[in-house]
Amino acid sequence: MIQQAKFFASKWLILFLATLPLQHLFADGSALQEPSVSKEINAIITARRHPYLKQANFSNRIEDLDALYKRANYKLLWLGDDATTAKNTADALELLANASSQGLIQENYDAEMLRKKFNLALTLTPTAYKELALYDTALSIAVLRFLHDIHYGRVNPHGINFNLQLREKKLTDFPVLIKDSMSLNTISQLPLLVEPKLQQYQKLKSALATYRLITAKSPSFKFIVKGKLRPGEHHPQLAELNIFLAGVGDLPESATINSAEKNPKYTDNIVEGVKKFQIRHGLAADGTIGPATATAINEPLAQRITQIELAMERLRWLPELNVGRSIIVNIPAFQLWAIDDINDTDPNIINMRVVVGKALKNQTPVLMAQMSFIEFMPYWNVPANILKGEILPKLIRNPDYLFSQNMEIVPSSGHSATPVSVNNDTIEKLKRGVLRVRQRPGNKNSLGKVKFIFPNKDDVYLHDTPANSLFSKSRRDFSHGCVRVENPIALTEFALRNQGKWDSDTIKKAMKSPITRRVILQQPIPVLFFYTTSFIDQNNNLAFYQDIYGHDAVLLEALKKNNDLSDQSIFVSARVEPPVPNGIP
């Protein structure tokens, strides 16, 4: 009876288990499964580290990696015996090998390792599940990193004090793009789908290729000049200079001089080439080769390539910009552009010189904001740091200083703006911040006749200035952080275009009126204070500028870390928790 009871109990248990779904039979989901590629792929995703890769931790790419393999039913993507898969894999390896064409570094994507291991992977048996999964996922991670870096950049701009606007959400689906490109056999076109669409980026990418070719074929050259070389004088290296200028595009290649001549003359055609070179490098275009021009000529072309690469990196940080009017200031170029469209190529767009913050202590911040109003004949409310560091010492030495500068003392809070007289009591209240100093509207006002306001945490703005002589200097970092504009009337006309009665005449009248007047913009205008030492202007000239604030050096140091950029750091609405890989299908 006991044996019979055991038999019926066993039979009943087998029948019961047979009615259960498979996942209830094996509660751990995979413990008793046969080995498979899918199981190995999931194990790699779960581990978040890859033994093949220099940067083994891929936690910041896990969401995209899991989504990519989910679309492939957790099967191999890059290893197969069909011609389409072979071409896709070859194209992917080629993209990584040519990462430098995008201003990126192929070593960051393990391009050489993946190329070497590919041939070995092709010899693996179909049951070498772990080795197959390791290679396939390594290539997938590398491609995802490559596309992410092209699209978003490698550095979080907020981490190096570039206060650019965050993207609202993740709009580009890399797994979908990769899988669709594999189906269409167009993996080689992936960079075109994700790189910034800005014409500035596209032109810089072309310039990068050109400068790499120039560097490869140009002989080493150092121009030595004592003092200054002026037009009409003689110099033994002018033939070499001629070749250099032709190589970088500042002289036609047909413009040559007799290289056999030992001490040739600095003739007009070379002078014109030097002037163009000077314009492109932010120097006074007088044709005279002094220390600054010689230094720019002798800068290694490899450094110019680095500047282009840094410019491309910074453009990747910008969110998708809306079509419409914008005002852009490039800080190290000391220039402003007011444009109707971000991709405007009209050489006649509004362009003017600006004065920016002093390099040593009053740097103009990088920012994005919305210009919302303009103020004619503004008061200048002296910032606390300027009051403490500059105004108070002068006022203590000379009680009439404020009067000489058309300034007055008023309460710091409340609606009262009744001026108070200068005495020991008011000076003490100024020190404590109970009172403040402001400059009345007029010809001496530091803000000139108009200021352009776009609320921002740094409290900086664009404005007119009475110190117009500074615009004639080639280096123009003289302000306390705000940006002074060379042509305030043209900028005001741009801002108030199609806004009621405002035209050139009414604007000029408002700038001559003794009354302070605020005009709200019917359509706010995006303002971008940017910083890039390589830039292609509206005339398609590739320009290079001095790194006045040292931001290039900071970015280069940040790029050395070679960490995956976290999506949580670059989106306003980003997931906090990464996904858990789905079970084996």
Side-chain angles (χ1 to χ4, degrees), residues 143 219 291:
V143 171

Side-chain angles (χ1 to χ4, degrees), residues 34-37 40 76 121 123-133:
E34 291 295 323
S36 69
V37 164
E40 296 296 342
L76 297 174
T123 66
L124 294 171
T125 64
T127 56
Y129 304 125
K130 183 174 183 178
E131 291 76 14
L132 290 168

Side-chain angles (χ1 to χ4, degrees), residues 187-242:
I187 286 291
S188 63
Q189 303 302 307
L190 273 173
L192 299 178
L193 301 178
V194 300
E195 65 189 10
K197 299 300 184 287
L198 294 170
Q199 286 194 23
Q200 181 69 205
Y201 184 91
Q202 301 299 325
K203 290 178 179 180
L204 283 170
K205 187 173 73 168
S206 177
L208 178 63
T210 299
Y211 260 66
R212 288 195 194 282
L213 288 173
I214 294 170
T215 303
K217 69 180 184 180
S218 296
S220 178
F221 170 61
K222 183 174 183 179
F223 192 77
I224 301 172
V225 60
K226 295 180 180 179
K228 294 182 178 181
L229 177 65
R230 297 175 176 81
E233 296 179 346
H234 294 261
H235 193 281
Q237 289 183 288
L238 286 176
E240 294 173 273
L241 178 62
N242 191 98

Side-chain angles (χ1 to χ4, degrees), residues 46-346:
T46 302
R48 304 187 185 197
R49 296 186 67 84
H50 202 293
Y52 283 6
L53 306 177
K54 290 179 182 177
Q55 187 185 338
N57 189 326
F58 59 87
S59 295
N60 287 335
R61 298 286 77 80
I62 190 173
E63 180 179 349
D64 284 338
L65 185 68
D66 183 61
L68 177 60
Y69 278 101
K70 183 178 181 180
R71 296 183 70 84
N73 208 26
Y74 294 91
K75 301 298 183 185
L76 297 174
L77 289 166
W78 308 101
L79 296 174
D81 54 7
D82 60 289
T84 299
T85 301
K87 183 179 185 303
N88 284 334
T89 306
D91 287 346
L93 292 171
E94 186 72 12
L95 286 181
L96 302 181
N98 292 325
S100 61
S101 67
Q102 292 283 348
L104 301 172
I105 303 170
Q106 64 161 284
E107 287 81 2
N108 292 343
Y109 313 103
D110 298 277
E112 185 62 19
M113 177 277 294
L114 289 166
R115 185 189 64 79
K116 290 179 178 179
K117 283 187 178 291
F118 177 55
N119 292 330
L120 179 62
L122 292 177
T123 66
L124 294 171
T125 64
T127 56
Y129 304 125
K130 183 174 183 178
E131 291 76 14
L132 290 168
L134 280 170
Y135 183 84
D136 206 81
T137 52
L139 182 52
S140 293
I141 294 167
V143 171
L144 284 168
R145 283 173 167 168
F146 176 63
L147 297 180
H148 198 279
D149 289 352
I150 292 176
H151 191 67
Y152 297 117
R154 293 168 52 203
V155 171
N156 176 7
H158 286 203
I160 55 173
N161 205 30
F162 269 49
N163 297 312
L164 300 174
Q165 178 182 322
L166 291 175
R167 290 172 167 89
E168 287 296 322
K169 57 184 178 180
K170 191 173 183 177
L171 298 175
T172 302
D173 193 327
F174 298 122
V176 169
L177 291 178
I178 292 172
K179 198 65 176 64
D180 288 351
S181 296
M182 296 184 86
S183 299
L184 297 171
N185 206 12
T186 56
I187 286 291
S188 63
Q189 303 302 307
L190 273 173
L192 299 178
L193 301 178
V194 300
E195 65 189 10
K197 299 300 184 287
L198 294 170
Q199 286 194 23
Q200 181 69 205
Y201 184 91
Q202 301 299 325
K203 290 178 179 180
L204 283 170
K205 187 173 73 168
S206 177
L208 178 63
T210 299
Y211 260 66
R212 288 195 194 282
L213 288 173
I214 294 170
T215 303
K217 69 180 184 180
S218 296
S220 178
F221 170 61
K222 183 174 183 179
F223 192 77
I224 301 172
V225 60
K226 295 180 180 179
K228 294 182 178 181
L229 177 65
R230 297 175 176 81
E233 296 179 346
H234 294 261
H235 193 281
Q237 289 183 288
L238 286 176
E240 294 173 273
L241 178 62
N242 191 98
I243 294 171
F244 170 80
L245 293 172
V248 296
D250 293 322
L251 271 179
E253 291 194 9
S254 58
T256 60
I257 62 175
N258 185 0
S259 58
E261 192 175 348
K262 290 185 177 181
N263 199 27
K265 185 178 179 181
Y266 186 25
T267 55
D268 289 345
N269 64 324
I270 305 179
V271 170
E272 289 307 310
V274 168
K275 286 181 179 180
K276 185 176 179 182
F277 178 89
Q278 289 171 326
I279 291 172
R280 291 197 307 108
H281 292 77
L283 303 168
D286 55 9
T288 297
I289 303 177
T293 300
T295 298
I297 290 171
N298 293 331
E299 189 73 54
L301 291 179
Q303 170 60 24
R304 300 306 184 195
I305 288 173
T306 297
Q307 287 180 260
I308 297 171
E309 291 173 339
L310 296 183
M312 294 171 69
E313 169 69 11
R314 289 177 176 128
L315 289 174
R316 297 180 189 117
W317 301 340
L318 296 176
E320 287 70 21
L321 300 174
N322 295 326
V323 175
R325 293 191 298 165
S326 299
I327 295 171
I328 299 172
V329 172
N330 185 10
I331 296 167
F334 311 110
Q335 293 192 67
L336 174 150
W337 291 266
I339 54 182
D340 290 313
D341 184 271
I342 196 67
N343 280 320
D344 196 346
T345 58
D346 182 0

Side-chain angles (χ1 to χ4, degrees), residues 1 55 68 106 126 271 333 381-382 484 524 535 549:
M1 289 293 293
Q55 187 185 338
L68 177 60
Q106 64 161 284
V271 170
N381 295 300
V382 179
R484 308 172 191 173
F535 186 81
Y549 291 172

